[in-house]
Amino acid sequence: MSIEVNNITKIYGEQKALDNVSFEIGSGEIVGFLGPNGAGKSTMMKILTCFIPQSEGTAKVCGYDVSVDTILARQNVGYLPEHNPLYIDMYVKEYLQFIAGLHQLRNKKRLVADMIDKVGLGVEQNKVIGTLSKGYRQRVGLAQAMIHNPKVLILDEPTTGLDPNQIIEIRNLIKDIGKEKTVMMSTHIMQEVEAICDRVIIINNGKIAADDTALNIKSKQKQISIITVEFSENVEVSEIKKLKGVNKVESLGDNKYHIFSDSDSDVRPLLFNFAVGKSVEVLTLQKEEETMEQIFKDFTSK
Ligand code: ADP
């Protein structure tokens, strides 16, 4: 196992940030750690990277206990903290060589050159960090997290604050890195999880709300279709409700209705027949499936 978390609790003063959390992450997995603000994501990541101690429970990285074998655990984990703190007055190469020095690595120049190549910093490698775009700063952050070649990477909201192009570039980079390393990344962007992660752990109020593949989480939830239909005239809600597969109908005014059904029964043909039977016309009809975003809300609002 790359990461083993057993009954971890973290209390800050009177605040319980993590409450008896347990999970495991196998070698080579890319796991999305999801939760609303204040759920406990950063706290869990700081414990796994030996930045803060837990109050109770045990956590291991590559078999090393983070509170006992701290140095060995740190050697096996790379960490990109939230907000990516960097020395902005330093040059890219100078900073990465400094980080390599902190890890007491040999062949610093070669390692830095390899990292620059790996994270795609080539064109920006001779610049001062403060002059780089956010996307390139994030690449510097990823390079510092990987310079000691750890088996596990922990990335705290790695795409927050980036523009849409930079988000795609950094996601692709993480996907690529994930071919060689175990990755645990926090995010609150659902599409990110669907795009990158094999598995999702949802955390809410310091407790695990769900732990499964993104696909299973989707299929476990009762999928709901929502159809928005506009008729040429007003029709009775109770009449629409009688159609097979329809669970709920809401009138939106102006002859528009929201029609809720299970996603395995498509009620659209029935709605057209219904309109013909009532001698009204269907002016617009739009179908939406429940998204991962809604599923996440379902899990975290329980
Ligand atoms: P997330 O990363 O999911 O947004 P955090 O782990 O940062 O959540 O925070 C979890 C809870 O712990 C929050 O309520 C936060 O206010 C609290 N918290 C985090 N760090 C500290 C701290 N150093 N001192 C006191 N409370 C903290």
Side-chain angles (χ1 to χ4, degrees):
M1 277 296 149
S2 287
I3 296 178
E4 293 161 75
V5 172
N6 284 305
N7 308 104
I8 287 280
T9 293
K10 175 70 186 177
I11 300 167
Y12 295 110
E14 307 232 308
Q15 163 123 39
K16 206 179 240 187
L18 292 171
D19 187 0
N20 209 22
V21 171
S22 300
F23 61 86
E24 289 183 344
I25 297 180
S27 169
E29 278 191 277
I30 306 186
V31 175
F33 200 45
L34 283 179
N37 275 332
K41 304 182 295 296
S42 296
T43 300
M44 188 73 246
M45 292 182 148
K46 285 178 193 161
I47 291 171
L48 286 171
T49 50
C50 310
F51 272 78
I52 56 169
Q54 66 272 32
S55 308
E56 281 169 40
T58 56
K60 288 183 183 171
V61 175
C62 295
Y64 299 112
D65 191 311
V66 295
S67 15
V68 182
D69 308 310
T70 308
I71 292 178
L72 288 166
R74 277 176 184 251
Q75 281 172 358
N76 281 282
V77 68
Y79 178 38
L80 176 61
E82 201 182 358
H83 309 309
N84 186 14
L86 295 169
Y87 291 113
I88 56 169
D89 295 332
M90 286 178 104
Y91 285 90
V92 171
K93 280 192 203 165
E94 181 193 13
Y95 172 71
L96 292 176
Q97 284 189 18
F98 164 68
I99 299 291
L102 292 181
H103 286 290
Q104 299 181 341
L105 302 173
R106 280 188 222 147
N107 298 322
K108 284 189 279 196
K109 273 200 169 156
R110 187 184 53 78
L111 280 177
V112 168
D114 285 353
M115 268 308 124
I116 284 174
D117 192 38
K118 187 163 216 146
V119 302
L121 266 170
V123 269
E124 308 290 272
Q125 62 177 305
N126 294 316
K127 290 192 179 168
V128 173
I129 293 173
T131 64
L132 300 180
S133 69
K134 271 201 154 181
Y136 276 103
R137 285 189 200 191
Q138 212 61 352
R139 287 172 196 257
V140 177
L142 282 168
Q144 71 72 29
M146 293 194 296
I147 197 137
H148 57 302
N149 196 22
K151 294 195 181 81
V152 178
L153 265 189
I154 295 198
L155 314 175
D156 199 349
E157 309 223 351
T159 60
T160 300
L162 302 183
D163 73 29
N165 287 335
Q166 294 167 340
I167 287 179
I168 291 169
E169 285 165 16
I170 295 296
R171 278 186 197 163
N172 286 339
L173 187 53
I174 294 170
K175 251 180 161 172
D176 217 34
I177 294 166
K179 288 179 191 154
E180 294 170 14
K181 298 188 187 295
T182 306
V183 178
M184 176 181 182
M185 59 177 279
S186 69
T187 172
H188 33 236
I189 308 168
M190 287 304 119
Q191 295 93 316
E192 196 142 277
V193 171
E194 287 186 293
I196 310 182
C197 304
D198 311 319
R199 196 173 127 208
V200 192
I201 297 175
I202 299 178
I203 183 166
N204 190 36
N205 282 331
K207 290 187 176 156
I208 304 282
D211 178 354
D212 212 329
T213 60
L215 261 179
N216 276 352
I217 283 187
K218 266 184 125 172
S219 64
K220 260 186 198 167
Q221 289 297 96
K222 198 174 174 200
Q223 294 280 295
I224 295 167
S225 290
I226 307 163
I227 291 171
T228 312
V229 63
E230 181 182 2
F231 294 117
S232 56
E233 285 170 42
N234 188 40
V235 294
E236 288 295 322
V237 164
S238 56
E239 295 280 310
I240 309 174
K241 263 194 197 156
K242 285 182 196 158
L243 296 175
K244 194 164 178 276
V246 172
N247 296 334
K248 196 171 96 178
V249 181
E250 282 172 4
S251 172
L252 304 173
D254 296 334
N255 310 328
K256 286 185 191 157
Y257 304 85
H258 261 164
I259 297 166
F260 298 81
S261 65
D262 296 345
S263 60
D264 47 5
S265 54
D266 190 352
V267 298
R268 287 173 299 180
L270 300 178
L271 279 171
F272 281 109
N273 289 338
F274 169 81
V276 171
K278 295 275 170 204
S279 302
V280 295
E281 286 164 32
V282 175
L283 300 181
T284 56
L285 188 143
Q286 202 182 356
K287 187 177 179 216
E288 292 164 39
E289 295 292 335
E290 194 179 38
T291 61
M292 274 294 272
E293 201 88 34
Q294 285 163 304
I295 291 171
F296 170 64
K297 278 191 192 144
D298 290 349
F299 272 110
T300 56
S301 60
K302 268 175 203 160

